[in-house]
């Protein structure tokens, strides 16, 4: 889950330009956030890395158009979620021959007890599977909420009204809890 974004050849030619500096700083600050967005949309490790690259390229291109009408975090999340939705729609048309379990790596856990570690990994995978199966609007609202965005910021990113965000979030949380309880 905590992938680093690596780039070859997409920085502006002069690394001292403000765009290159801004982009490097943005990637450094929001790398974890962008990785979590990609993980919420793509289970396959190779495709998740591809999505991260696509998101980073879109952020790089979008920084030139940033007008400070929202926070930089909200702007970047809007770019990331839009790119992820396009990625999901594009890849939904491509049949997959392998299951994502073949590519899924368990995130490191810092518990000392191997049984607890295995149980925690199993719970995390179950939750990620449920989130990935959610309809896109609910998935977006939930993941943005988990990133700490306010209803107004989520509404801005998703192009919804604030009240619709509240309704979607409540319904999505209820659906996740129901699925988690069903799986027990």
């Amino acid at each position: 889950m905590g992938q680093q974004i690596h780039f070859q050849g997409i920085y502006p030619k002069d690394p001292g330009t403000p765009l290159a500096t801004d982009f490097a700083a943005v990637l450094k600050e929001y790398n974890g956030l962008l990785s979590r967005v990609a993980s919420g949309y793509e289970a396959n490790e190779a495709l998740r890395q591809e999505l991260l690259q696509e998101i980073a390229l879109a952020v790089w291109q979008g920084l030139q158009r940033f007008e400070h009408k929202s926070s930089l975090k909200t702007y970047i999340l809007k770019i990331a979620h839009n790119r992820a939705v396009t990625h999901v729609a594009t890849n939904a048309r491509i049949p997959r021959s392998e299951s994502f379990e073949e590519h899924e790596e368990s995130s490191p856990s810092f518990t000392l007890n191997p049984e607890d570690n295995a149980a925690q990994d199993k719970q995390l995978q179950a939750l990620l599977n449920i989130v990935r199966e959610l309809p896109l609007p609910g998935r977006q609202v939930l993941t943005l909420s988990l990133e700490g965005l306010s209803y107004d910021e989520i509404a801005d990113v998703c192009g919804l009204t604030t009240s619709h965000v509240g309704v979607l979030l409540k319904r999505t949380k209820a659906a996740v809890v129901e699925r988690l309880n069903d799986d027990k």
Side-chain angles (χ1 to χ4, degrees), residues 65-126:
R65 295 183 300 274
F66 181 51
E67 297 175 356
H68 303 280
K69 292 181 181 178
S70 64
S71 71
L72 181 60
K73 179 180 178 181
T74 301
Y75 183 73
I76 288 171
L77 278 168
K78 187 173 195 171
I79 291 170
H81 278 275
N82 287 339
R83 188 62 221 127
V85 168
T86 303
H87 173 85
V88 168
T90 301
N91 285 304
R93 292 183 233 134
I94 301 170
R96 293 194 187 169
S97 59
E98 74 278 350
S99 69
F100 81 80
E101 285 87 5
E102 294 173 16
H103 299 282
E104 199 61 31
E105 293 178 14
S106 141
S107 61
S109 178
F110 299 103
T111 59
L112 299 176
N113 183 334
E115 291 84 20
D116 290 344
N117 188 10
Q120 185 180 17
D121 285 347
K122 185 177 178 180
Q123 289 174 334
L124 178 60
Q125 286 306 310

Side-chain angles (χ1 to χ4, degrees), residues 3-184:
Q3 282 82 294
Q4 288 288 346
I5 303 172
H6 301 285
F7 297 96
Q8 302 274 329
I10 67 166
Y11 287 98
K13 291 190 190 234
D14 179 8
T17 63
L19 180 58
T21 305
D22 291 346
F23 180 63
V26 165
L27 278 186
K28 185 175 182 179
E29 183 172 348
Y30 296 107
N31 188 50
L33 175 72
L34 296 176
S35 292
R36 290 187 297 275
V37 169
S39 291
Y41 283 90
E42 184 57 66
N44 179 296
E45 176 65 24
L47 291 175
R48 185 168 49 241
Q49 286 300 318
E50 182 180 308
L51 175 57
L52 267 172
Q53 295 284 326
E54 291 171 12
I55 289 170
L57 181 59
V59 167
W60 179 66
Q61 293 167 334
L63 282 177
Q64 299 169 3
R65 295 183 300 274
F66 181 51
E67 297 175 356
H68 303 280
K69 292 181 181 178
S70 64
S71 71
L72 181 60
K73 179 180 178 181
T74 301
Y75 183 73
I76 288 171
L77 278 168
K78 187 173 195 171
I79 291 170
H81 278 275
N82 287 339
R83 188 62 221 127
V85 168
T86 303
H87 173 85
V88 168
T90 301
N91 285 304
R93 292 183 233 134
I94 301 170
R96 293 194 187 169
S97 59
E98 74 278 350
S99 69
F100 81 80
E101 285 87 5
E102 294 173 16
H103 299 282
E104 199 61 31
E105 293 178 14
S106 141
S107 61
S109 178
F110 299 103
T111 59
L112 299 176
N113 183 334
E115 291 84 20
D116 290 344
N117 188 10
Q120 185 180 17
D121 285 347
K122 185 177 178 180
Q123 289 174 334
L124 178 60
Q125 286 306 310
L127 181 60
L128 282 172
N129 289 339
I130 290 168
V131 169
R132 288 176 183 137
E133 292 172 0
L134 291 169
L136 283 176
R139 186 184 329 173
Q140 279 186 306
V141 169
L142 180 63
T143 57
L144 291 170
S145 174
L146 291 172
E147 290 297 340
L149 270 66
S150 69
Y151 282 22
D152 288 334
E153 291 171 319
I154 295 170
D156 183 40
V157 169
C158 297
L160 304 170
T161 64
T162 305
S163 60
H164 193 202
V165 167
V167 170
L168 266 176
L169 189 57
K170 184 176 181 178
R171 289 179 182 167
T172 302
K173 284 180 180 178
V176 169
V177 168
E178 183 179 324
R179 284 284 311 277
L180 285 171
N181 290 335
D182 287 349
D183 290 347
K184 284 186 180 179

